[in-house]
Amino acid sequence: MSSALSREDVAHLANLARISLSEDELDRLGAELPAILDHVAAVQGVVDAAGDVEPMSHPVPVANVFREDVVRPGLTPDEALSGAPASEEQRFLVPKILGEE
Amino acid sequence: MSDLIRLTASEIADRLATGDVTSVEVTQAHLDRIEAVDDQVHAFLHVGRDSALATAADVDARRAAGEQLPTLAGVPVAVKDLINTTDQPTTAGSRILEGWRPPYDATVVARLRAAGLPILGKTNLDEFAMGSSNEHSAYGPTRNPWDTDRIPGGSSGGSAAAVAAHEAPLALGTDTGGSIRQPGAMTGIVGVKPTYGGVSRYGVVAMASSLDQVGPMGRSVLDAALLHEVVAGHDPMDSTSIDAPVPAVVEAARRGDVQGLRVGVVRELGGEGFQPGVRAAFDRAVELLAQAGAEVVEVSCPSFEHGIAAYYLVMPSEVSSNLARFDAMRYGLRVAPEGLTDPSAEQVMAASRDAGFGDEVKRRIVLGTYALSSGYYDAYYGSAQKVRTLVARDFAAAFEQVDVLVSPTAPTTAWRLGEKSDDPLAMYLEDVCTIPANLAGVPGLNLPVGLADDTGLPVGVQFLAPAQADDRLYNAAAALERLVDAPQLSADALEGAR
Amino acid sequence: MSTTTTPVVAFDDAITRYDPVMGLEVHVELNTATKMFCGCPTAFGAEPNTQVCPVCLGLPGALPVVNAKAVESAIRIGLALNCEIAEWCRFARKNYFYPDMPKNFQTSQYDEPIAFDGWIDVQVPAEDGGEPEVFRIEIERAHMEEDTGKSLHVGGATGRIHGADHSLLDYNRAGIPLIEIVTRTIHVPAEKAPAVARAYVTQLRELMLALDVSDARMDQGSLRADVNLSLTPKGSDVLGTRSETKNVNSFRSVERAVRYEVGRHAGILDAGGSVVQETRHFHEADGSTSAGREKSDAEDYRYFPEPDLAPVAPSREWVEQLRGTLPEPPAERRQRLQAEWGFSDLDMRDTVGAGALELVVETVEAGATPAAAKKWWLGELARRANEQGTDLAALPVTPQQVAGVQALIDDGRVNDKLARQVLDGVLAGEGTPEEVVAARGLEVVSDDGALGAAVDRAIEANPDVAQKIRDGKVQAAGALIGSVMKEMRGQADAARVRELVLEKLS
Ligand SMILES: [Mg+2]
Ligand SMILES: [Zn+2]
């Protein structure tokens, strides 16, 4: 796969990652990332050559790790809000939200 | 300089037990040492003087009252500033968490407290543990106590430097791609990455969830084992925590017997590209193991060569998701975007993340966002996860033949600050030896084996063992530790510089 | 709002030219004691940020652990929907930024849902009162995920998101277990589509209640329906662009949303326009929808397996054991209830059609006779729900309270008229029926002293009538009883009054 990554691509990725990168940062990442991608893209060839291989998402092969449905003490509202940049009425105060989910 | 700071943790524990010294005296001696040398080393981001002394006094009182205490009760410890502590800030080395006080302790911190270890302070690190040099800390780099113009390795460089510089007898680090073992090698101390799932990750700021592991650092194999035993074991708050007994690491560290042990030298982790002084020190160490009765063979793990490529896909992908929560809404830095009078939440998020994260963090977030995006997932993230399976298969095949694997821990000794800053890829390649263990979840240990002939700086040997056989690492390393003459840093070196 | 200028076509007209293609996504909040991945309680309506912890606040270092009961409920829902249960599945992270989602990813399931390939038969009442028609709705999947927090938008005139100065976030709801149930594309005769959609959501809710896995209160958001809809020109197989109407919160609204969207799409297509792929909001007041977020191709959730959670691999033994706990299938249950209650086919159809089946069941369980329970829910309460444009289940009265009102009648403590006043009080939030009776002084007077005096006064005031009764014209007693009831403002025990009148004049 070609790892060509345009400046627009980087800007799009930064937007997905919610980071308002400066013009300089976009330039620099646009220059750095292709070299890194060229290196890491090698994994495809390795996998193609290896044939049928299961992906490993967890280094420890366990399943069914569950918790009983029993209430545990959590945080007080004061603790919960202790790091908040702003709060009001026992809620986290954030700037106006534009998009809707 | 007080003699107390020259002692290993196990020696301190012995003297505390006999009543020779008090924990307050030992803790104070280390706080004094920090005071004396940390402006040169910059191992600490925060010193918890009062709380450390309070813990020490409490332990002393309980001991005086005849209470039976855990082995390390009263022995001070430093904690990487990636690990949550309620009584000290936790910054992850990032501006985005400057001054943040977690409302809860990490499980490993709760275990330190329960075992009575005074926490001296929080150690410096590459921002969010992303780096191999500590140059990516938002609060300035830690320096290598052996040569303060050089890097101490990373990302647990602060913990490594603190232990090497006798500012702390013990420290906790975290290791995602070598972040305990490589700084251990750079500063000449013992550092262990336990089996994935062996130590709880709850309350440890996540970098890459499927790779991160907390581990002990100390100036002897036994010290590391003692700390390992305190923090390891099942935690119901961490779904990836192994629900099985902790391997008998302390017993293994005391045993140190390699007679008949099958030791495999990994062919792919050495040779070309490795500094001659590192190769020579490694070869001498392997020779010593053979002389002590180990059966040394060469084994091949061909997939290890692709470890870095897989790692630099899996890690940034998980990073991009794990670090999404730092959005200026609930905690951490919030900045107003420039030139906007009435910014939206979305704009504040983006501006805060730009201002709060350093270059390396942003680079990895963008890389990971790319690797996970639709159309690229299979080629990048999916393939990288398959390479992990190949790496695990190589380990499995190797451990059919041998009991432990050995390699140099890092291809070079410590480099000068700034030497590799302009080339991220060159920095990434430094992790070639340590990454396979994280990809497969197996444990690894760095043992200092002496100084390189060419640079005069510490060299480390890495031991690797199968998952949940951490005790094998301690046994083999303890044997080699007795055979090598690994000089410890002269404490006077830093004092003299003042 | 690019489509506001295009006229909306009447539904009946639209379906002469187009066929609707529907898909329904329903989110069910489970009634577990704790959240999906942490031990925080899940009570509705608690003070803000009192049911939170490091995990559900997404604090640095926090890690999730799966609630076993939630997995159990997910499997039971899957089985009740005739789904396959995965032998092995994982959670996945759905990455997108939104302030009500603390980690900025939702822990959900992606290509490995716990349940898949199921179906449910829904009954749509026939308009002419004949046999209901049955439609099979295919279930694509049911998967586990977590809910978001709630935001309060402050400063805007309407409290809605637009025009707000800032927002206030409460994370009590963040992390509550959700099961998302997704249908395959639903193809039914165009004119049936709105009723099928309504019947599906109605029966899904009944099922959740029968399984006892959710409160399934649409008014409180513990059951939320999204309606996906597109139109295909009649005789064509070209798929149209779909809209997603989010969080429709009553059965009636589901039906209305389908009708409206069919008309809106038809209007756009008639005018030669193209439908925008977007989410839409439903407005209860006029049954319309308005544009929300545009869905673009740029949307990229970057799903990947959740590394912090172990896979879920339910053993076949566990699955079979859970299958054994399933309630009887709804159709069989309805037959059984009809027989037990002695309802006619019509009675039963009316009850089901009104969405009152579970309410009647619970009212009967609370002590009322089936006939009385039906009388209340399909009579007085149905009238009030209709007046308020809401569902029966959303009325602020519980089946237990309805049974309580009936018990007051059965005990002779109130009459029908007073009972309706008691109900008024309950609906107004004045407390239990007993409390309302006490507070409003609604109890009928059956005390002989008070009643006797009133009867004496009535006899004195109506000597002619009294004489007629003495002469044996017993039917004249009604006038005296009426007089007593009037004096006592309806709160007299009419039967006892009659007895007293006859005693005194015999
Ligand atoms: Mg969903
Ligand atoms: Zn919680």
Side-chain angles (χ1 to χ4, degrees):
Chain A
M1 171 180 300
S2 157
S3 11
L5 204 59
S6 71
R7 201 170 179 288
E8 290 68 43
D9 292 336
V10 178
H12 170 67
L13 293 170
N15 185 44
L16 273 180
R18 277 274 202 285
I19 307 177
S20 58
L21 293 179
S22 66
E23 299 299 308
D24 286 355
E25 286 174 312
L26 289 175
D27 288 339
R28 208 184 52 241
L29 282 173
E32 286 169 354
L33 290 181
I36 299 171
L37 286 171
D38 277 344
H39 183 85
V40 298
V43 294
Q44 295 161 69
V46 175
V47 168
D48 290 345
D52 201 17
V53 185
E54 276 294 300
M56 177 197 276
S57 61
H58 298 80
V60 187
V62 292
N64 298 332
V65 179
F66 299 141
R67 171 180 61 77
E68 290 307 304
D69 185 28
V70 175
V71 172
R72 284 176 52 99
L75 297 172
T76 65
D78 283 349
E79 286 170 334
L81 292 159
S82 62
S87 66
E88 193 176 291
E89 296 169 8
Q90 208 166 296
R91 293 172 171 93
F92 294 84
L93 188 153
V94 305
K96 63 183 178 193
I97 300 167
L98 288 186
E100 278 185 84
E101 199 28 67
Chain B
M1 187 192 84
S2 162
D3 283 344
L4 291 175
I5 65 163
R6 295 179 185 276
L7 303 175
T8 63
S10 64
E11 288 165 350
I12 294 170
D14 289 346
R15 292 178 62 172
L16 287 170
T18 60
D20 234 18
V21 292
T22 65
S23 176
V24 168
E25 286 166 351
V26 171
T27 303
Q28 186 63 55
H30 286 94
L31 290 167
D32 291 347
R33 174 68 173 176
I34 293 168
E35 177 83 13
V37 304
D38 205 53
D39 56 347
Q40 298 167 67
V41 180
H42 196 37
F44 285 87
L45 293 179
H46 187 268
V47 177
R49 191 191 150 75
D50 294 345
S51 58
L53 287 171
T55 303
D58 178 56
V59 168
D60 287 340
R62 283 158 60 197
R63 199 185 300 276
E67 200 177 313
Q68 195 64 35
L69 298 172
T71 309
L72 288 182
V75 180
V77 63
V79 174
K80 188 179 187 179
D81 203 24
L82 195 67
I83 303 176
N84 287 349
T85 48
T86 50
D87 55 354
Q88 296 189 42
T90 300
T91 69
S94 180
R95 287 282 169 221
I96 212 157
L97 274 184
E98 188 162 5
W100 183 59
R101 291 227 172 214
Y104 74 110
D105 274 333
T107 296
V108 290
V109 168
R111 290 183 180 179
L112 292 180
R113 294 194 203 285
L117 283 79
I119 297 172
L120 294 166
K122 305 297 290 292
T123 58
N124 203 356
L125 66 156
D126 288 294
E127 184 176 2
F128 286 103
M130 296 181 206
S132 308
S133 69
N134 254 49
E135 293 167 293
H136 297 307
S137 168
Y139 303 99
T142 298
R143 287 160 186 274
N144 193 319
W146 291 83
D147 176 351
T148 53
D149 287 336
R150 291 179 185 269
I151 59 97
S155 67
S156 307
S159 285
V163 171
H166 299 266
E167 294 174 89
L170 293 170
L172 284 183
T174 67
D175 189 316
T176 304
S179 281
I180 288 175
R181 292 160 287 160
Q182 183 260 12
M186 299 288 147
T187 60
I189 65 153
V190 177
V192 181
K193 181 202 96 72
T195 298
Y196 182 83
V199 180
S200 169
R201 294 184 294 116
Y202 188 73
V204 181
V205 180
M207 174 184 167
S209 306
S210 72
L211 304 164
D212 294 346
Q213 195 54 198
V214 177
M217 303 169 88
R219 290 193 298 274
S220 78
V221 174
L222 178 58
D223 283 7
L226 289 167
L227 184 56
H228 188 132
E229 201 173 56
V230 171
V231 296
H234 182 241
D235 178 10
M237 298 298 282
D238 176 355
S239 304
T240 61
S241 162
I242 295 170
D243 193 359
V246 178
V249 293
V250 172
E251 190 199 314
R254 292 193 199 277
R255 192 167 64 243
D257 177 10
V258 291
Q259 185 67 47
L261 191 79
R262 297 171 302 163
V263 176
V265 175
V266 184
R267 184 187 302 149
E268 288 76 9
L269 304 180
E272 218 176 312
F274 281 60
Q275 185 183 312
V278 169
R279 285 160 66 176
F282 175 72
D283 290 345
R284 280 197 300 274
V286 171
E287 184 56 36
L288 288 170
L289 283 170
Q291 285 169 14
E295 296 170 24
V296 178
V297 295
E298 191 180 70
V299 296
S300 176
C301 297
S303 299
F304 286 14
E305 289 181 43
H306 312 295
I308 290 181
Y311 178 78
Y312 276 94
L313 288 168
V314 173
M315 177 272 295
S317 297
E318 295 184 7
V319 160
S320 71
S321 177
N322 281 334
L323 269 63
R325 69 188 59 196
F326 300 100
D327 65 357
M329 298 293 109
R330 291 161 300 280
Y331 46 80
L333 180 76
R334 180 183 287 182
V335 302
E338 262 172 65
L340 292 173
T341 47
D342 188 19
S344 67
E346 289 81 353
Q347 289 165 326
V348 168
M349 277 186 190
S352 299
R353 287 166 63 79
D354 183 48
F357 289 144
D359 291 342
E360 182 63 22
V361 172
K362 288 185 228 178
R363 186 182 294 127
R364 295 191 190 191
I365 289 175
V366 171
L367 183 59
T369 303
Y370 180 65
L372 288 177
S373 53
S374 69
Y376 299 100
Y377 177 92
D378 288 338
Y380 286 122
Y381 189 78
S383 296
Q385 295 287 49
K386 290 181 180 174
V387 170
R388 292 182 77 169
T389 303
L390 296 176
V391 168
R393 283 185 194 168
D394 279 1
F395 270 118
F399 289 127
E400 294 274 307
Q401 304 170 52
V402 298
D403 300 307
V404 293
L405 294 171
V406 289
S407 76
T409 303
T412 67
T413 54
W415 59 91
R416 287 202 159 71
L417 264 85
E419 200 178 316
K420 300 190 183 186
S421 306
D422 293 338
D423 187 352
L425 192 55
M427 188 92 90
Y428 297 169
L429 296 174
E430 277 292 322
D431 298 328
V432 62
C433 300
T434 46
I435 278 173
N438 300 84
L439 291 175
V442 305
L445 177 151
N446 173 70
L447 180 78
V449 293
L451 303 181
D453 303 332
D454 45 7
T455 58
L457 290 164
V459 177
V461 163
Q462 172 179 238
F463 288 87
L464 299 164
Q468 291 179 261
D470 306 45
D471 51 332
R472 287 191 206 172
L473 303 176
Y474 286 97
N475 174 47
L480 183 57
E481 183 180 43
R482 286 196 218 117
L483 303 171
V484 295
D485 180 28
Q488 295 209 338
L489 181 71
S490 153
D492 304 332
L494 288 162
E495 297 242 316
R498 282 173 69 79
Chain C
M1 306 287 267
S2 55
T3 60
T4 44
T5 50
T6 317
V8 175
V9 174
F11 176 79
D12 291 340
D13 179 24
I15 61 172
T16 62
R17 297 185 295 284
Y18 303 100
D19 282 323
V21 178
M22 287 192 304
L24 291 159
E25 286 176 28
V26 173
H27 285 85
V28 177
E29 260 187 10
L30 297 181
N31 60 2
T32 49
T34 66
K35 294 185 180 180
M36 187 74 219
F37 302 116
C38 64
C40 289
T42 55
F44 181 82
E47 288 296 302
N49 295 307
T50 53
Q51 299 182 159
V52 293
C53 75
V55 179
C56 56
L57 277 179
L59 293 188
L63 296 171
V65 186
V66 174
N67 182 340
K69 182 77 189 299
V71 177
E72 180 185 300
S73 296
I75 295 173
R76 293 180 70 235
I77 289 171
L79 291 172
L81 291 170
N82 305 292
C83 288
E84 302 288 321
I85 304 301
E87 303 214 2
W88 189 89
C89 65
R90 285 179 295 193
F91 286 94
R93 294 188 184 179
K94 181 182 184 183
N95 293 286
Y96 63 97
F97 284 82
Y98 203 74
D100 65 9
M101 199 169 56
K103 297 168 293 183
N104 286 319
F105 60 79
Q106 183 189 35
T107 308
S108 180
Q109 294 194 283
Y110 180 47
D111 49 0
E112 299 162 342
I114 188 151
F116 53 93
D117 288 349
W119 51 265
I120 178 174
D121 283 339
V122 301
Q123 296 194 320
V124 176
E127 270 164 47
D128 57 7
E131 279 297 302
E133 223 177 323
V134 175
F135 295 91
R136 176 156 294 191
I137 308 291
E138 291 184 9
I139 305 295
E140 182 182 310
R141 58 188 284 155
H143 72 246
M144 302 179 278
E145 58 182 35
E146 57 179 335
D147 212 342
T148 59
K150 275 185 179 167
S151 35
L152 193 70
H153 305 295
V154 181
T158 59
R160 283 191 65 84
I161 199 158
H162 296 291
D165 293 332
H166 60 266
S167 299
L168 297 176
L169 296 168
D170 167 16
Y171 292 102
N172 283 347
R173 197 181 68 178
I176 290 184
L178 290 180
I179 305 298
E180 180 177 328
I181 301 165
V182 183
T183 67
R184 289 194 201 286
T185 309
I186 299 169
H187 297 277
V188 293
E191 69 280 8
K192 300 284 186 193
V196 168
R198 176 182 181 148
Y200 169 72
V201 178
T202 305
Q203 273 179 240
L204 208 53
R205 178 173 181 278
E206 274 179 27
L207 192 59
M208 296 306 128
L209 292 174
L211 287 165
D212 192 23
V213 292
S214 172
D215 299 340
R217 302 238 348 211
M218 293 190 84
D219 59 315
Q220 291 185 353
S222 52
L223 190 146
R224 313 196 280 269
D226 300 346
V227 177
N228 299 339
L229 190 132
S230 65
L231 293 188
T232 302
K234 279 223 186 283
S236 155
D237 51 10
V238 179
L239 279 179
T241 306
R242 70 176 195 179
S243 60
E244 301 178 14
T245 306
K246 292 283 183 190
N247 295 336
V248 186
N249 62 9
S250 74
F251 303 135
R252 187 165 163 266
S253 301
V254 170
E255 187 166 356
R256 293 169 83 203
V258 173
R259 294 183 75 89
Y260 184 85
E261 280 297 288
V262 167
R264 188 181 69 83
H265 283 224
I268 294 167
L269 297 176
D270 282 353
S274 46
V275 175
V276 180
Q277 186 171 351
E278 62 190 358
T279 64
R280 299 194 62 91
H281 304 290
F282 182 75
H283 304 288
E284 293 286 345
D286 60 356
S288 71
T289 68
S290 65
R293 190 168 42 89
E294 188 161 334
K295 289 240 172 181
S296 69
D297 295 336
E299 199 160 67
D300 186 344
Y301 292 125
R302 289 159 285 133
Y303 282 101
F304 71 105
E306 167 57 279
D308 285 327
L309 291 170
V312 176
S315 71
R316 296 303 99 177
E317 294 73 40
W318 189 27
V319 171
E320 289 317 307
Q321 183 212 321
L322 291 176
R323 197 189 300 278
T325 69
L326 294 185
E328 61 187 310
E332 289 171 29
R333 176 163 174 264
R334 276 198 292 274
Q335 280 181 359
R336 175 177 61 78
L337 289 172
Q338 185 179 346
E340 280 175 21
W341 292 347
F343 278 16
S344 67
D345 286 356
L346 187 62
D347 288 343
M348 202 61 189
R349 223 157 34 232
D350 287 349
T351 306
V352 172
L357 187 67
E358 299 308 321
L359 297 167
V360 170
V361 168
E362 286 187 51
T363 309
V364 170
E365 274 170 12
T369 63
K374 171 171 161 290
K375 177 196 72 182
W376 283 111
W377 287 109
L378 268 60
E380 186 66 19
L381 289 164
R383 190 176 59 74
R384 289 172 196 247
N386 201 37
E387 276 168 16
Q388 294 170 26
T390 175
D391 288 329
L392 277 178
L395 286 176
V397 59
T398 64
Q400 292 71 26
Q401 288 167 337
V402 172
V405 171
Q406 183 60 39
L408 290 172
I409 297 175
D410 295 344
D411 294 347
R413 293 174 54 197
V414 299
N415 52 33
D416 280 2
K417 186 174 158 220
L418 288 175
R420 281 194 290 277
Q421 292 179 41
V422 176
L423 208 51
D424 285 337
V426 173
L427 287 166
E430 291 168 23
T432 64
E434 288 287 352
E435 285 162 359
V436 173
V437 165
R440 292 196 177 190
L442 292 178
E443 202 150 3
V444 296
V445 179
S446 49
D447 165 51
D448 279 2
L451 289 181
V455 169
D456 289 345
R457 281 193 293 281
I459 291 169
E460 212 174 301
N462 302 284
D464 301 349
V465 180
Q467 192 52 51
K468 279 183 188 163
I469 296 168
R470 283 194 193 93
D471 295 344
K473 288 194 149 183
V474 178
Q475 60 271 40
L480 288 186
I481 295 165
S483 165
V484 171
M485 293 304 280
K486 191 174 174 189
E487 183 190 326
M488 303 199 67
R489 291 200 298 279
Q491 283 178 245
D493 179 343
R496 185 66 191 140
V497 171
R498 181 183 169 83
E499 282 170 18
L500 287 172
V501 167
L502 295 181
E503 261 173 42
K504 286 175 191 284
L505 299 176
S506 61

